[in-house]
Amino acid sequence: MKPLSEQERRRILESPPRGTWALLLLFAALLTTGWAILYFGVFLAHGPVS
Protein backbone atom coordinates (compact mmCIF):
# COMPACT_ATOMS: atom_id res chain seq x y z
CA MET A 1 0.00 0.00 0.00
CA LYS A 2 1.47 3.33 -0.98
CA PRO A 3 1.59 6.13 1.58
CA LEU A 4 -1.07 8.83 1.46
CA SER A 5 -0.26 12.21 0.03
CA GLU A 6 -0.59 15.26 2.23
CA GLN A 7 -3.74 16.34 0.35
CA GLU A 8 -5.42 12.94 0.81
CA ARG A 9 -4.48 12.86 4.50
CA ARG A 10 -5.94 16.35 5.05
CA ARG A 11 -9.15 15.40 3.21
CA ILE A 12 -9.61 12.31 5.40
CA LEU A 13 -8.93 14.17 8.65
CA GLU A 14 -11.27 17.06 7.78
CA SER A 15 -14.18 14.86 6.64
CA PRO A 16 -17.10 14.33 9.04
CA PRO A 17 -17.35 10.97 10.86
CA ARG A 18 -20.17 9.51 8.73
CA GLY A 19 -19.87 5.97 10.07
CA THR A 20 -20.07 7.17 13.66
CA TRP A 21 -23.20 9.20 12.90
CA ALA A 22 -24.76 6.21 11.12
CA LEU A 23 -24.16 3.95 14.12
CA LEU A 24 -25.44 6.61 16.51
CA LEU A 25 -28.65 7.03 14.52
CA LEU A 26 -29.11 3.26 14.25
CA PHE A 27 -28.78 2.74 18.00
CA ALA A 28 -31.03 5.74 18.74
CA ALA A 29 -33.69 4.27 16.45
CA LEU A 30 -33.38 0.84 18.09
CA LEU A 31 -33.57 2.36 21.57
CA THR A 32 -36.62 4.45 20.67
CA THR A 33 -38.34 1.46 19.08
CA GLY A 34 -37.65 -0.69 22.13
CA TRP A 35 -38.94 2.01 24.46
CA ALA A 36 -42.15 2.39 22.40
CA ILE A 37 -42.75 -1.38 22.40
CA LEU A 38 -42.30 -1.55 26.18
CA TYR A 39 -44.39 1.53 26.89
CA PHE A 40 -47.32 0.89 24.55
CA GLY A 41 -47.20 -2.90 24.46
CA VAL A 42 -46.48 -3.72 28.09
CA PHE A 43 -47.27 -0.83 30.40
CA LEU A 44 -50.34 0.64 28.71
CA ALA A 45 -51.70 -2.83 27.90
CA HIS A 46 -52.16 -3.55 31.63
CA GLY A 47 -54.48 -0.58 32.04
CA PRO A 48 -54.66 1.93 34.88
CA VAL A 49 -53.37 1.15 38.35
CA SER A 50 -56.12 0.11 40.77
Side-chain angles (χ1 to χ4, degrees):
M1 210 169 119
K2 67 177 188 174
L4 296 173
S5 69
E6 189 61 36
Q7 183 181 14
E8 291 171 329
R9 182 176 294 155
R10 188 177 310 123
R11 182 183 57 83
I12 291 170
L13 289 175
E14 292 175 356
S15 65
R18 290 188 191 105
T20 303
W21 284 111
L23 283 175
L24 184 109
L25 290 174
L26 173 69
F27 280 108
L30 289 173
L31 184 69
T32 303
T33 302
W35 175 85
I37 289 170
L38 278 175
Y39 183 73
F40 293 110
V42 176
F43 296 126
L44 289 183
H46 287 109
V49 177
S50 302

